[in-house]
Amino acid sequence: MVKVLMEFSGFATGVKPKSWYSSPLISDHMRGVNRVMLIGNLGKDPDVQYLEGNIGVAKFSLATTETFKDRTGKLISQTEWHTVVLWRGLAELAEKYLHKGSLVYIEGRLRTRSWEDKEGNKKFATEVVGDNLIMLDKKTESGQGVHHPQEGLEGLNGADGSSITEPSPDLPF
């Protein structure tokens, strides 16, 4: 059956079916995909700065936690910390509505930047540059999102049960 499918699809003749090379997703010159989708809780209030031209930039840490059972059936939680950067209108929304513990969906791309510290050592930071932000907190009667800083970060423990702490604050903004 595989041989029949290969011959029918053009593999035997070396000709790609038209649907392959006409697809925007697959081509002879395939481009990479840099897409990130995260759902998690803010580790602290967004740090918002305004650059020349009144361009807003918000930066905050986001915790994502995966929970699974190991071979013995024990429930394991693994938390990853991500640095999220939002620009312009999204930065203003973050400043106005997001707080420590807020539950959000962030969609964006990875960006790695480098710099030299005071001792001349080269440092690297990988960040998620957000293109889309959806606030997932439940609404209250007043229309504002529920804000429970401690509740939003409950259960964010390492696999060994130790408490997860904020990422190192010595990264430059």
Side-chain angles (χ1 to χ4, degrees), residues 115-123:
W115 70 95
E116 285 190 12
D117 65 10
K118 295 174 185 174
E119 290 81 34
N121 299 316
K122 195 159 190 175
K123 300 284 187 172

Side-chain angles (χ1 to χ4, degrees), residues 22-170:
S22 64
S23 170
L25 297 177
I26 302 174
S27 69
D28 289 335
H29 305 288
M30 181 73 178
R31 293 185 179 157
V33 176
N34 182 356
R35 217 64 212 139
V36 177
M37 293 179 281
L38 300 171
I39 295 177
N41 296 93
L42 271 70
K44 60 181 178 179
D45 289 350
D47 178 17
V48 181
Q49 297 181 3
Y50 287 88
L51 305 177
E52 188 175 321
N54 206 27
I55 297 172
V57 183
K59 185 175 181 180
F60 55 87
S61 58
L62 186 75
T64 57
T65 302
E66 293 181 272
T67 304
F68 60 92
K69 289 184 180 179
D70 66 7
R71 292 179 183 173
T72 65
K74 181 181 173 187
L75 203 58
I76 304 292
S77 291
Q78 289 182 333
T79 300
E80 294 287 334
W81 286 97
H82 314 274
T83 301
V84 177
V85 179
L86 302 175
W87 290 85
R88 297 178 174 79
L90 290 179
E92 293 171 16
L93 286 173
E95 181 178 37
K96 188 172 181 181
Y97 296 109
L98 299 184
H99 307 283
K100 179 179 179 177
S102 294
L103 182 63
V104 295
Y105 166 85
I106 300 284
E107 187 174 343
R109 58 189 162 79
L110 289 177
R111 180 186 66 192
T112 301
R113 56 189 181 84
S114 63
W115 70 95
E116 285 190 12
D117 65 10
K118 295 174 185 174
E119 290 81 34
N121 299 316
K122 195 159 190 175
K123 300 284 187 172
F124 295 91
T126 300
E127 303 165 326
V128 176
V129 179
D131 300 327
N132 192 9
L133 164 69
I134 299 174
M135 294 173 277
L136 300 176
D137 284 326
K138 295 178 182 175
K139 302 275 185 188
T140 61
E141 291 178 17
S142 66
Q144 296 293 324
V146 177
H147 177 56
H148 300 288
Q150 298 307 321
E151 184 178 299
L153 295 174
E154 281 180 359
L156 300 183
N157 293 327
D160 61 357
S162 62
S163 178
I164 300 293
T165 59
E166 281 290 311
S168 176
D170 62 345

